[in-house]
């Protein structure tokens, strides 16, 4: 895990998912073991906060949605790739984490997910970011597969439907509140939503999700592409110049998702 652990548990969760993806492609268990070791560092934080769940950071400053969603998502992924005691260990953690998250208050009355919790463990009313809607959907889809419990799919679809209602424009194109200046991190958020919706769509297809992904991919290609075929931040257009690796890879997530569903 040298180089893949730092002071932020969400960063570690992204690395764990990346190594699981490499394992899925190669079948090389070294990559899966790296993901397991990263997860164990995240697990050291489990249930150590006043609110439950895990901390966002090792300085213990914030309990937020993304770190806790990634903890669930990685645990569910690992449950689906392990056997025996390992599988039971990861599945138990994933189910307990979801039960906590569901009751934490971060899912608001609109069934969208705010950014995190206050110091007294209440929904902080923070921005409804697209990636916070996406990661939990991917995690619930993996958890449904691991547990053979279809209710997790139903919940994932409620979150997707709420996100599409809340975060799209009149033409059905996805946006984040930070546009047109989302920085290096925020420019990735919509792509995270698209690729996790792809995971759900492949597990339990819905025409409305296919149509959403195709519409967004087409908009990226026709309205968010510069003369060098680089893809920018705002999927509905206009093109924000210059595009960069973050905006391009995020927009590619929408195109790849549309092509696979």
């Amino acid at each position: 895990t040298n180089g893949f652990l730092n002071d932020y548990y969400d960063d570690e969760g992204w690395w764990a998912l990346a190594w699981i993806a490499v394992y899925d492609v190669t079948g090389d268990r070294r990559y899966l073991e790296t993901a397991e070791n990263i997860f164990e560092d995240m697990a050291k934080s489990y249930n150590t906060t006043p609110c439950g769940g895990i901390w966002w950071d090792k300085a213990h400053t914030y309990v937020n949605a993304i770190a806790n969603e990634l903890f669930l998502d990685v645990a569910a992924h690992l449950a689906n790739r392990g056997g025996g005691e390992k599988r039971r260990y990861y599945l138990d953690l994933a189910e307990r984490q979801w039960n906590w998250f569901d009751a934490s208050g971060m899912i608001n009355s609109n069934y969208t997910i705010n950014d995190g919790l206050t110091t007294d463990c209440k929904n902080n009313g923070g921005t409804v970011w697209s990636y916070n809607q996406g990661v939990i959907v991917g995690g619930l889809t993996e958890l449904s597969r691991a547990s053979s419990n279809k209710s997790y799919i139903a919940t994932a679809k409620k979150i997707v439907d709420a996100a599409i209602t809340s975060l799209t424009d009149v033409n059905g194109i996805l946006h984040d509140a930070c546009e047109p200046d989302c920085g290096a991190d925020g420019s990735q958020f919509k792509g995270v939503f698209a690729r996790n919706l792809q995971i759900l769509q492949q597990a339990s297809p819905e025409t409305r999700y296919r149509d959403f992904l195709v519409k967004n991919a087409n908009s990226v290609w026709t309205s968010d592409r510069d003369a060098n075929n680089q893809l920018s931040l705002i999927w509905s257009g206009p093109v924000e110049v210059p595009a960069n690796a973050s905006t391009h890879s995020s927009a590619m997530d929408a195109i790849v998702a549309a092509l696979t569903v």
Side-chain angles (χ1 to χ4, degrees), residues 29-182:
R29 293 196 63 82
R30 292 177 300 169
Y31 300 120
L32 185 62
E33 289 165 2
T34 298
E36 290 172 342
N37 290 334
I38 294 169
F39 179 79
E40 286 309 306
D41 193 67
M42 298 175 72
K44 292 174 184 175
S45 180
Y46 180 65
N47 236 6
T48 66
T49 89
C51 308
I54 71 169
W55 293 98
W56 169 57
D57 58 350
K58 293 178 181 176
H60 296 177
T61 65
Y62 189 27
V63 178
N64 71 349
I66 193 59
N68 279 285
E69 291 178 0
L70 286 164
F71 185 67
L72 183 156
D73 198 10
V74 175
H77 272 79
L78 292 173
N80 282 320
R81 289 156 180 82
E85 287 299 320
K86 269 191 176 182
R87 176 180 175 81
R88 284 188 287 273
Y89 166 70
Y90 293 125
L91 179 57
D92 176 65
L93 272 176
E95 290 184 318
R96 284 193 284 148
Q97 177 69 355
W98 166 245
N99 290 337
W100 169 81
F101 190 90
D102 189 32
S104 71
M106 281 188 275
I107 304 175
N108 61 42
S109 59
N110 294 323
Y111 231 74
T112 55
I113 298 164
N114 294 99
D115 193 65
L117 300 176
T118 62
T119 54
D120 60 348
C121 304
K122 306 294 184 184
N123 185 315
N124 66 6
T127 303
V128 175
W129 298 113
S130 59
Y131 81 147
N132 276 332
Q133 323 312 304
V135 171
I136 197 66
V137 165
L140 287 168
T141 305
E142 285 284 331
L143 184 53
S144 175
R145 176 184 162 199
S147 64
S148 299
N149 184 341
K150 297 303 182 185
S151 71
Y152 296 127
I153 293 289
T155 301
K157 290 181 179 181
K158 287 180 65 176
I159 293 170
V160 170
D161 290 339
I164 290 173
T165 297
S166 298
L167 298 178
T168 57
D169 62 23
V170 294
N171 296 314
I173 307 306
L174 188 64
H175 293 272
D176 269 306
C178 54
E179 296 174 6
D181 184 15
C182 290

